[in-house]
Short mmCIF file of all heavy atoms in Angstrom, two decimals:
data_model
loop_
_atom_site.label_atom_id
_atom_site.label_comp_id
_atom_site.label_asym_id
_atom_site.label_seq_id
_atom_site.Cartn_x
_atom_site.Cartn_y
_atom_site.Cartn_z
N SER M 272 89.26 51.81 82.49
CA SER M 272 90.34 50.79 82.41
C SER M 272 91.58 51.48 81.77
O SER M 272 91.61 52.16 80.86
CB SER M 272 89.92 49.65 81.52
OG SER M 272 90.98 48.72 81.39
N ALA M 298 100.08 17.13 88.09
CA ALA M 298 100.08 18.54 88.06
C ALA M 298 99.80 19.10 86.70
O ALA M 298 98.98 20.03 86.49
CB ALA M 298 101.40 19.09 88.51
N THR M 366 111.43 23.25 76.76
CA THR M 366 112.50 22.61 77.50
C THR M 366 113.51 23.74 77.90
O THR M 366 113.93 24.52 77.00
CB THR M 366 113.28 21.58 76.71
OG1 THR M 366 112.35 20.53 76.28
CG2 THR M 366 114.38 20.88 77.55
#
Side-chain angles (χ1 to χ4, degrees):
S272 177
T366 303

